[in-house]
Amino acid sequence: MKNILITGATSGIGKQIATVLSADNDLFLSGRRKLDKVNYYACDLVDMFEIETLYNKAIEYFNSDIDVLINCAGQYIYKPIEKMSFDEISYLLDVNFKSAYILSSLVIEGMKKNNWGRIINIGSISGVVGEANASLYSATKSAFNGFSKALALEVATNNITINTINPGWVETPLAQNALNQEERQEVIDITPQKRFVEPIEIANLCKYLISNSAKGITGQGINICAGLTCGC
Ligand SMILES: NC(=O)c1ccc[n+]([C@@H]2O[C@H](COP(=O)([O-])OP(=O)(O)OC[C@H]3O[C@@H](n4cnc5c(N)ncnc54)[C@H](OP(=O)(O)O)[C@@H]3O)[C@@H](O)[C@H]2O)c1
């Protein structure tokens, strides 16, 4: 039984991760929408003060340290670089990457004290292979690569692992909003396995990565993309 904090837990991938991990762990969840649950805090992760409050609420709920942090909250912006506003640039960097970095900085002390911890970042294959018209999104996701490797080295002797899961297209509200019917079919056509990735595949990998069997996996980016990064 571990104390697990999951961001982006109200929808899509994060919601499925919460469902799978709730079977044998204690969870504290967050998203922006209002939900009436004792183990939930609604906040916008663009706000640094709110991130700290989220951390404090989780600690208060567990009455103990956080063993596992899953940074799943994120948004997608698809447009050419010259159309990106300064506000959008700051916003996406803050929500997709800075919030995960700050939360990691907050949980790491307790993990070191307990000589055990797991941090999982939900990246994207757009941060592995790049995606035209998603340069900002790709940048926020590839940031997890350097972050995971560097932090993995920093805490390698503390029994703490840091990894990034890079999904391909997953059928969630994010993907449904980003793709029209024609684009959805294109995704299926260009994906070697001719399908979307399912949220459960990502949730099950999280379950494995937090287990002791995965203690040697650290600083890695693991692609679950139905073959999309393999080439053609
Ligand atoms: N779907 C894909 O094809 C795909 C592929 C690769 C990577 N990913 C990544 O997987 C993660 C989850 O995506 P998803 O597909 O599950 O999307 P989703 O269904 O839209 O869920 C996004 C989650 O993030 C939360 N969130 C968004 N902006 C936030 C903010 N400013 N502050 C706090 N919480 C915020 C949402 O909370 P509310 O809904 O309550 O506002 C929601 O819980 C994201 O990081 C995404 O980049 C997705």
Side-chain angles (χ1 to χ4, degrees):
M1 169 83 88
K2 300 292 181 194
N3 295 336
I4 304 181
L5 171 59
I6 307 175
T7 68
T10 52
S11 175
I13 296 170
K15 192 173 181 181
Q16 184 67 70
I17 294 171
T19 303
V20 167
L21 299 187
S22 66
D24 33 36
N25 297 282
D26 209 0
L27 308 187
F28 196 84
L29 310 174
S30 100
R32 280 174 308 180
R33 70 196 69 181
K34 304 284 173 220
L35 293 179
D36 195 15
K37 288 182 174 175
V38 283
N39 65 336
Y40 177 80
Y41 183 64
C43 64
D44 193 325
L45 293 172
V46 78
D47 181 335
M48 280 196 272
F49 175 75
E50 284 283 62
I51 296 172
E52 201 171 10
T53 307
L54 168 63
Y55 168 76
N56 288 330
K57 295 262 182 203
I59 292 285
E60 199 181 315
Y61 171 77
F62 294 131
N63 195 25
S64 179
D65 295 312
I66 290 161
D67 302 308
V68 177
L69 167 65
I70 301 184
N71 291 308
C72 184
Q75 292 186 30
Y76 178 74
I77 301 181
Y78 183 84
K79 60 165 90 163
I81 189 167
E82 68 273 21
K83 302 270 187 227
M84 210 67 82
S85 73
F86 290 169
D87 282 350
E88 283 172 322
I89 295 168
S90 296
Y91 183 80
L92 209 69
L93 284 165
D94 284 1
V95 171
N96 284 11
F97 180 67
K98 196 162 104 184
S99 66
Y101 188 94
I102 294 172
L103 272 175
S104 302
S105 77
L106 294 169
V107 300
I108 210 82
E109 202 177 312
M111 291 179 177
K112 277 185 173 174
K113 191 176 80 198
N114 299 322
N115 200 37
W116 199 94
R118 299 280 188 269
I119 297 177
I120 300 173
N121 305 302
I122 304 301
S124 166
I125 57 158
S126 305
V128 178
V129 295
E131 182 188 357
N133 296 312
S135 58
L136 179 58
Y137 180 75
S138 296
T140 66
K141 294 300 186 178
S142 66
F144 283 131
N145 181 38
F147 170 58
S148 299
K149 289 195 188 308
L151 188 56
L153 290 173
E154 217 167 300
V155 295
T157 57
N158 298 102
N159 224 359
I160 302 170
T161 69
I162 323 292
N163 291 292
T164 298
I165 297 175
N166 297 307
W169 280 104
V170 188
E171 203 133 43
T172 66
L174 181 148
Q176 283 151 11
N177 291 333
L179 303 168
N180 62 31
Q181 205 46 42
E182 199 181 318
E183 290 161 338
R184 195 185 168 279
Q185 190 54 49
E186 268 171 35
V187 166
I188 294 171
D189 292 342
I190 62 163
T191 302
Q193 292 184 351
K194 305 296 173 210
R195 68 179 183 92
F196 278 72
V197 174
E198 293 167 36
I200 190 78
E201 297 176 79
I202 295 152
N204 285 334
L205 180 56
C206 287
K207 187 175 176 180
Y208 176 65
L209 286 175
I210 69 171
S211 72
N212 279 327
S213 306
K215 66 183 178 189
I217 302 176
T218 192
Q220 301 305 305
I222 305 166
N223 305 335
I224 303 192
C225 59
L228 201 49
T229 56
C230 295
C232 50

